[in-house]
Amino acid sequence: MWRREFDDLLNGIAGAFLFGIPLLYTMEVWDIGSDLTPLHMLLYLGLTYIALVALNRATGFRRNSDETWSRSLSDSIEALALGALVACFSLVVLRRISFDLAYDVILGKVVLETMPCAIGVGMANGLLRRADDDEAEAEQQSFWHATLVDAGGTMLGATVVGLSIAPTDEVGVIAASLPPWWLWLIMAASLLISYVIVFQAEFGDHKQRKSDRGLFQSPLSETIASYIISLVFALVTLRVFNQIDASTSLAQIIDYTIVLGLPATVGGAAGRLAV
Amino acid sequence: MKQEARTTAEWVSLAIAVLLLSCLVGLIGWLWATEGDEPAQFSLAMGEVRQVGEQFYLEITVRNDGDQAAAAVEVVGKLDEQESNVTLDLLPGHAEQSATLIFSSDPKQAELAVVGYSEP
C-alpha cells in the first residue's frame, strides 16, 4: 500500500521533470517570476489547479485508480504540491533562489515554475507510458540491438533538448553563479532525476522486465550510461553553438557541460521513452 | 463504476500536500498583507578594498529599501578627478546586491551615488 503510493508520487515527479525542465532553464520565467504580485501568484495557482483537474480526468499520475470526481479533485491538490516541490528543488539546485533574496522574489519564481511542473505531474501517465507491444518486441531483440536502440534514443533526446538550450544564455548564467563544489550537487541531481524517470517508466507498475535488453538492462546501469551519453552530447551541442571553443578554459567547459547535462539527461530519458 | 476506498497512504500524502499548499498560499497571503507601494530608494555601503597591481577594487553593496523593483540601477563613484560606474540589471524591493568599482588610487574617500534607474 505504501509502496504503491510512493510509486504513484514518483511517477508524478518524473512527469514534472520531463515537462518542466525546458521552462526551468528559461531566464524570462525567472525574471517574470521575480516581479509577480501576490494577487497574480494566487491567480496562477488557481488556474493551474483548474487545468490539473481537467488533466486528472483524462490521464493523471496515479496508475490503476478509478476516476471519480472526488479523486480527481484531491489528486489535483497533490499534483500541485508535487509541482511546487519539484520547482523548489530545481530552483535551489540551479541556484536561482537562495535565502538572501527577497521573499516575494523567491515565492514568485517558485509559483511560476510550479505551473509547468504541476502540469507535468498531471500528464505523467501520458508522458511515461510505454506501449505494451513495445515490450513484446523488445524480447526478440538481441543484446546489441537493444543497447543500440536505447543509446540512439538517449542521443536523440539529449540532442533535441541540448539544441534548444545550448545556444541560449541560461547555461552561462547558471554556471557563473555556482561555486565549483556545487557541480557535484548538479551531477547528483541529474542522476537522481534520470533514475526516477527510468525507474518509473520501466518498473513503476511492478512489472519486472523478463527479457535481456542489453547495457540498458538495470535501472542503475541505464541511468549511468545515459548520463554519460548525455554529457557527451551536451558538450557537442555547446561546441556546435560556439559556447565553448579552443580558447575556453577547462574549468568553464566542465561547468557548462555539467549544467547542460541536467536537461540533456532528462531529454535522453524522454528520448528512450519515445523510441 | 466501483468506488475504490482510499488507502491510509493516500490520505497521508493528501494531508501532506494540503499542508504544503496551505503554507505556500499562506506565505503569499502574508506577502499581500505586508505589501507596500513605496517606489525604489537606495542606500549604499562601502565594503573592502583590494589592490590589484596599480588599481584599487572597491566592493560596494547597493540596497533597495523601497517595495518596488528597479532595473538598470546606475551607481557612480567619484574620487578626485576619476569617475567609475557600474550598472545593476535588476534590484528587487528589499533586496541588496554587491558590485565592484575600480579606481586607480585608494578609494577610501570616494563619493558614491546612485544616479538613475528605470522601471523594470
Short mmCIF file of all heavy atoms in Angstrom, two decimals, chain A residues 7 10-11 14-15 18 63 124-125 127-132 134-135 193-207 209 213 219 222 269-270 272-274:
data_model
loop_
_atom_site.label_atom_id
_atom_site.label_comp_id
_atom_site.label_asym_id
_atom_site.label_seq_id
_atom_site.Cartn_x
_atom_site.Cartn_y
_atom_site.Cartn_z
N ASP A 7 5.19 4.89 -5.38
CA ASP A 7 5.35 4.75 -6.83
C ASP A 7 4.57 5.80 -7.59
O ASP A 7 5.08 6.42 -8.53
CB ASP A 7 4.86 3.36 -7.27
CG ASP A 7 6.00 2.35 -7.26
OD1 ASP A 7 7.15 2.77 -7.08
OD2 ASP A 7 5.72 1.16 -7.44
N LEU A 10 6.24 9.16 -7.23
CA LEU A 10 7.46 9.23 -8.05
C LEU A 10 7.11 9.38 -9.53
O LEU A 10 7.78 10.10 -10.28
CB LEU A 10 8.33 8.00 -7.85
CG LEU A 10 9.24 7.98 -6.63
CD1 LEU A 10 10.15 6.76 -6.71
CD2 LEU A 10 10.08 9.25 -6.56
N ASN A 11 6.07 8.68 -9.94
CA ASN A 11 5.58 8.78 -11.31
C ASN A 11 5.26 10.24 -11.64
O ASN A 11 5.66 10.78 -12.68
CB ASN A 11 4.33 7.90 -11.45
CG ASN A 11 3.91 7.72 -12.89
OD1 ASN A 11 4.75 7.65 -13.78
ND2 ASN A 11 2.61 7.66 -13.11
N ALA A 14 8.46 12.29 -11.92
CA ALA A 14 9.12 12.06 -13.21
C ALA A 14 8.46 12.90 -14.30
O ALA A 14 9.14 13.55 -15.11
CB ALA A 14 9.06 10.58 -13.56
N GLY A 15 7.13 12.92 -14.31
CA GLY A 15 6.40 13.72 -15.31
C GLY A 15 6.72 15.19 -15.17
O GLY A 15 6.90 15.90 -16.16
N LEU A 18 10.09 15.90 -16.76
CA LEU A 18 10.05 15.79 -18.22
C LEU A 18 9.43 17.03 -18.84
O LEU A 18 9.93 17.56 -19.83
CB LEU A 18 9.22 14.56 -18.62
CG LEU A 18 9.94 13.22 -18.54
CD1 LEU A 18 8.98 12.09 -18.87
CD2 LEU A 18 11.11 13.19 -19.51
N ARG A 63 -1.58 5.29 -11.19
CA ARG A 63 -1.91 4.14 -12.00
C ARG A 63 -3.03 3.38 -11.31
O ARG A 63 -3.15 3.46 -10.09
CB ARG A 63 -0.71 3.21 -12.12
CG ARG A 63 0.50 3.90 -12.72
CD ARG A 63 1.70 3.02 -12.45
NE ARG A 63 2.90 3.81 -12.31
CZ ARG A 63 3.78 4.00 -13.28
NH1 ARG A 63 3.59 3.49 -14.45
NH2 ARG A 63 4.83 4.74 -13.07
N ALA A 124 1.64 12.85 -16.23
CA ALA A 124 2.69 11.84 -16.04
C ALA A 124 2.37 10.51 -16.72
O ALA A 124 3.22 9.93 -17.39
CB ALA A 124 2.94 11.62 -14.55
N ASN A 125 1.13 10.04 -16.56
CA ASN A 125 0.79 8.75 -17.17
C ASN A 125 0.91 8.79 -18.69
O ASN A 125 1.37 7.84 -19.31
CB ASN A 125 -0.62 8.33 -16.79
CG ASN A 125 -0.62 7.61 -15.46
OD1 ASN A 125 0.43 7.15 -15.01
ND2 ASN A 125 -1.78 7.51 -14.84
N LEU A 127 2.88 10.81 -20.38
CA LEU A 127 4.27 11.02 -20.79
C LEU A 127 5.11 9.75 -20.62
O LEU A 127 6.05 9.52 -21.35
CB LEU A 127 4.91 12.13 -19.95
CG LEU A 127 4.47 13.56 -20.20
CD1 LEU A 127 5.02 14.48 -19.12
CD2 LEU A 127 4.93 14.04 -21.56
N LEU A 128 4.78 8.93 -19.61
CA LEU A 128 5.69 7.86 -19.23
C LEU A 128 5.26 6.47 -19.66
O LEU A 128 5.96 5.51 -19.40
CB LEU A 128 5.85 7.87 -17.70
CG LEU A 128 6.75 8.96 -17.18
CD1 LEU A 128 6.44 9.27 -15.74
CD2 LEU A 128 8.21 8.56 -17.32
N ARG A 129 4.10 6.38 -20.28
CA ARG A 129 3.64 5.03 -20.58
C ARG A 129 4.31 4.47 -21.83
O ARG A 129 4.29 5.06 -22.89
CB ARG A 129 2.11 5.03 -20.79
CG ARG A 129 1.59 3.65 -21.06
CD ARG A 129 0.10 3.62 -20.90
NE ARG A 129 -0.27 3.85 -19.50
CZ ARG A 129 -1.46 4.31 -19.14
NH1 ARG A 129 -2.34 4.65 -20.04
NH2 ARG A 129 -1.74 4.45 -17.87
N ARG A 130 4.94 3.34 -21.67
CA ARG A 130 5.48 2.62 -22.81
C ARG A 130 4.39 1.73 -23.37
O ARG A 130 3.67 1.09 -22.60
CB ARG A 130 6.65 1.74 -22.38
CG ARG A 130 8.02 2.34 -22.60
CD ARG A 130 9.02 1.26 -22.37
NE ARG A 130 10.32 1.79 -22.01
CZ ARG A 130 11.36 1.77 -22.84
NH1 ARG A 130 11.24 1.29 -24.04
NH2 ARG A 130 12.51 2.24 -22.45
N ALA A 131 4.31 1.65 -24.67
CA ALA A 131 3.29 0.78 -25.26
C ALA A 131 3.60 -0.68 -24.92
O ALA A 131 4.75 -1.06 -24.82
CB ALA A 131 3.27 0.97 -26.77
N ASP A 132 2.56 -1.49 -24.72
CA ASP A 132 2.76 -2.88 -24.31
C ASP A 132 3.44 -3.71 -25.39
O ASP A 132 4.28 -4.55 -25.10
CB ASP A 132 1.42 -3.53 -23.94
CG ASP A 132 0.95 -3.03 -22.58
OD1 ASP A 132 1.83 -2.57 -21.82
OD2 ASP A 132 -0.24 -3.07 -22.30
N ASP A 134 5.51 -2.77 -27.36
CA ASP A 134 6.92 -2.39 -27.39
C ASP A 134 7.74 -3.37 -26.55
O ASP A 134 8.83 -3.78 -26.93
CB ASP A 134 7.05 -0.98 -26.83
CG ASP A 134 8.44 -0.40 -27.06
OD1 ASP A 134 9.03 -0.75 -28.09
OD2 ASP A 134 8.89 0.38 -26.22
N GLU A 135 7.16 -3.73 -25.40
CA GLU A 135 7.85 -4.68 -24.51
C GLU A 135 8.01 -6.04 -25.19
O GLU A 135 9.05 -6.67 -25.12
CB GLU A 135 7.07 -4.87 -23.20
CG GLU A 135 7.03 -3.63 -22.32
CD GLU A 135 8.37 -3.37 -21.66
OE1 GLU A 135 9.07 -4.35 -21.35
OE2 GLU A 135 8.72 -2.18 -21.48
N ILE A 193 17.31 12.36 -10.86
CA ILE A 193 16.13 12.63 -11.67
C ILE A 193 16.03 11.59 -12.79
O ILE A 193 14.96 11.02 -13.04
CB ILE A 193 16.21 14.05 -12.29
CG1 ILE A 193 16.17 15.10 -11.19
CG2 ILE A 193 15.06 14.28 -13.26
CD1 ILE A 193 16.60 16.47 -11.66
N SER A 194 17.17 11.34 -13.43
CA SER A 194 17.20 10.38 -14.53
C SER A 194 16.77 9.00 -14.02
O SER A 194 15.98 8.29 -14.67
CB SER A 194 18.61 10.34 -15.10
OG SER A 194 18.71 9.44 -16.15
N TYR A 195 17.26 8.63 -12.83
CA TYR A 195 16.92 7.33 -12.24
C TYR A 195 15.41 7.22 -11.97
O TYR A 195 14.79 6.21 -12.28
CB TYR A 195 17.70 7.13 -10.95
CG TYR A 195 17.52 5.78 -10.32
CD1 TYR A 195 18.19 4.67 -10.80
CD2 TYR A 195 16.66 5.61 -9.25
CE1 TYR A 195 18.03 3.42 -10.24
CE2 TYR A 195 16.48 4.37 -8.67
CZ TYR A 195 17.17 3.27 -9.17
OH TYR A 195 16.99 2.04 -8.61
N VAL A 196 14.85 8.30 -11.41
CA VAL A 196 13.42 8.29 -11.11
C VAL A 196 12.61 8.09 -12.38
O VAL A 196 11.68 7.28 -12.43
CB VAL A 196 13.00 9.60 -10.39
CG1 VAL A 196 11.49 9.74 -10.34
CG2 VAL A 196 13.57 9.62 -8.98
N ILE A 197 12.99 8.82 -13.45
CA ILE A 197 12.24 8.72 -14.70
C ILE A 197 12.36 7.30 -15.27
O ILE A 197 11.37 6.67 -15.63
CB ILE A 197 12.74 9.74 -15.74
CG1 ILE A 197 12.46 11.16 -15.24
CG2 ILE A 197 12.05 9.52 -17.08
CD1 ILE A 197 13.03 12.24 -16.12
N VAL A 198 13.61 6.80 -15.32
CA VAL A 198 13.86 5.47 -15.87
C VAL A 198 13.09 4.41 -15.08
O VAL A 198 12.40 3.57 -15.62
CB VAL A 198 15.38 5.16 -15.79
CG1 VAL A 198 15.62 3.68 -15.96
CG2 VAL A 198 16.11 5.94 -16.86
N PHE A 199 13.20 4.49 -13.76
CA PHE A 199 12.59 3.50 -12.90
C PHE A 199 11.08 3.50 -13.05
O PHE A 199 10.44 2.47 -13.16
CB PHE A 199 12.97 3.78 -11.45
CG PHE A 199 12.71 2.64 -10.55
CD1 PHE A 199 13.63 1.61 -10.47
CD2 PHE A 199 11.56 2.58 -9.80
CE1 PHE A 199 13.39 0.53 -9.63
CE2 PHE A 199 11.32 1.50 -8.97
CZ PHE A 199 12.24 0.47 -8.89
N GLN A 200 10.51 4.71 -13.10
CA GLN A 200 9.06 4.81 -13.22
C GLN A 200 8.57 4.32 -14.57
O GLN A 200 7.52 3.72 -14.69
CB GLN A 200 8.59 6.25 -12.97
CG GLN A 200 8.54 6.59 -11.51
CD GLN A 200 7.70 5.58 -10.74
OE1 GLN A 200 6.59 5.25 -11.12
NE2 GLN A 200 8.25 5.07 -9.65
N ALA A 201 9.38 4.60 -15.61
CA ALA A 201 8.95 4.20 -16.94
C ALA A 201 9.03 2.69 -17.10
O ALA A 201 8.21 2.07 -17.77
CB ALA A 201 9.81 4.88 -17.99
N GLU A 202 10.01 2.07 -16.46
CA GLU A 202 10.26 0.65 -16.70
C GLU A 202 9.58 -0.26 -15.67
O GLU A 202 9.04 -1.29 -16.00
CB GLU A 202 11.77 0.37 -16.64
CG GLU A 202 12.60 1.24 -17.53
CD GLU A 202 12.49 0.80 -18.97
OE1 GLU A 202 11.95 -0.29 -19.22
OE2 GLU A 202 12.94 1.55 -19.84
N PHE A 203 9.68 0.15 -14.41
CA PHE A 203 9.30 -0.80 -13.36
C PHE A 203 8.18 -0.28 -12.48
O PHE A 203 7.82 -0.92 -11.52
CB PHE A 203 10.52 -1.08 -12.46
CG PHE A 203 11.65 -1.72 -13.18
CD1 PHE A 203 12.66 -0.96 -13.72
CD2 PHE A 203 11.67 -3.10 -13.36
CE1 PHE A 203 13.70 -1.56 -14.40
CE2 PHE A 203 12.71 -3.69 -14.04
CZ PHE A 203 13.73 -2.92 -14.57
N GLY A 204 7.66 0.88 -12.82
CA GLY A 204 6.71 1.54 -11.92
C GLY A 204 5.53 0.68 -11.55
O GLY A 204 5.00 0.76 -10.45
N ASP A 205 5.10 -0.16 -12.44
CA ASP A 205 3.89 -0.93 -12.20
C ASP A 205 4.22 -2.33 -11.68
O ASP A 205 3.45 -3.25 -11.83
CB ASP A 205 3.08 -1.02 -13.49
CG ASP A 205 1.60 -1.01 -13.18
OD1 ASP A 205 1.25 -0.80 -12.01
OD2 ASP A 205 0.81 -1.23 -14.11
N HIS A 206 5.37 -2.47 -11.03
CA HIS A 206 5.83 -3.76 -10.50
C HIS A 206 5.99 -4.81 -11.59
O HIS A 206 5.96 -5.99 -11.33
CB HIS A 206 4.89 -4.32 -9.43
CG HIS A 206 4.65 -3.36 -8.33
ND1 HIS A 206 5.67 -2.84 -7.59
CD2 HIS A 206 3.53 -2.79 -7.87
CE1 HIS A 206 5.16 -2.00 -6.69
NE2 HIS A 206 3.87 -1.95 -6.84
N LYS A 207 6.08 -4.37 -12.83
CA LYS A 207 6.30 -5.33 -13.90
C LYS A 207 7.80 -5.52 -14.06
O LYS A 207 8.50 -4.62 -14.50
CB LYS A 207 5.70 -4.82 -15.21
CG LYS A 207 4.32 -5.38 -15.51
CD LYS A 207 3.87 -5.00 -16.89
CE LYS A 207 3.47 -3.55 -16.96
NZ LYS A 207 3.01 -3.09 -18.24
N ARG A 209 11.04 -6.66 -15.82
CA ARG A 209 11.31 -6.95 -17.21
C ARG A 209 11.89 -8.36 -17.34
O ARG A 209 12.79 -8.74 -16.61
CB ARG A 209 12.29 -5.94 -17.79
CG ARG A 209 12.10 -5.86 -19.27
CD ARG A 209 13.00 -4.88 -19.91
NE ARG A 209 13.06 -3.64 -19.19
CZ ARG A 209 14.14 -2.88 -19.23
NH1 ARG A 209 15.20 -3.25 -19.89
NH2 ARG A 209 14.17 -1.72 -18.60
N ARG A 213 17.87 -6.81 -22.11
CA ARG A 213 17.78 -5.68 -23.00
C ARG A 213 19.10 -4.92 -23.10
O ARG A 213 19.15 -3.71 -23.21
CB ARG A 213 16.65 -4.74 -22.59
CG ARG A 213 15.30 -5.37 -22.85
CD ARG A 213 14.21 -4.35 -22.94
NE ARG A 213 14.48 -3.32 -23.91
CZ ARG A 213 14.11 -2.06 -23.75
NH1 ARG A 213 13.52 -1.68 -22.66
NH2 ARG A 213 14.35 -1.19 -24.69
N PRO A 219 18.03 -0.48 -14.03
CA PRO A 219 17.84 0.97 -13.94
C PRO A 219 19.14 1.70 -13.61
O PRO A 219 19.40 2.77 -14.14
CB PRO A 219 16.85 1.12 -12.79
CG PRO A 219 16.17 -0.18 -12.68
CD PRO A 219 17.13 -1.22 -13.15
N GLU A 222 21.47 1.74 -16.62
CA GLU A 222 20.83 2.57 -17.64
C GLU A 222 21.01 4.06 -17.31
O GLU A 222 21.34 4.88 -18.16
CB GLU A 222 19.33 2.23 -17.73
CG GLU A 222 18.58 3.16 -18.66
CD GLU A 222 17.20 2.65 -19.02
OE1 GLU A 222 16.86 1.52 -18.65
OE2 GLU A 222 16.47 3.39 -19.69
N ALA A 269 16.25 10.61 -21.31
CA ALA A 269 15.25 9.68 -20.78
C ALA A 269 13.97 9.75 -21.59
O ALA A 269 13.36 8.73 -21.92
CB ALA A 269 14.97 10.02 -19.31
N ALA A 270 13.56 10.99 -21.96
CA ALA A 270 12.36 11.15 -22.79
C ALA A 270 12.57 10.49 -24.14
O ALA A 270 11.65 9.87 -24.70
CB ALA A 270 12.04 12.64 -22.94
N ARG A 272 14.44 7.88 -24.84
CA ARG A 272 14.31 6.42 -24.74
C ARG A 272 12.86 5.99 -24.65
O ARG A 272 12.48 4.93 -25.12
CB ARG A 272 15.08 5.91 -23.51
CG ARG A 272 16.57 5.76 -23.75
CD ARG A 272 17.20 4.88 -22.70
NE ARG A 272 16.93 5.34 -21.35
CZ ARG A 272 17.45 6.42 -20.80
NH1 ARG A 272 18.27 7.17 -21.49
NH2 ARG A 272 17.17 6.75 -19.56
N LEU A 273 12.04 6.84 -24.02
CA LEU A 273 10.61 6.50 -23.92
C LEU A 273 9.96 6.60 -25.28
O LEU A 273 8.99 5.91 -25.58
CB LEU A 273 9.91 7.45 -22.94
CG LEU A 273 10.34 7.32 -21.50
CD1 LEU A 273 9.62 8.35 -20.65
CD2 LEU A 273 10.05 5.94 -20.98
N ALA A 274 10.51 7.48 -26.14
CA ALA A 274 9.87 7.74 -27.42
C ALA A 274 10.18 6.66 -28.46
O ALA A 274 9.35 6.36 -29.30
CB ALA A 274 10.28 9.11 -27.94
#
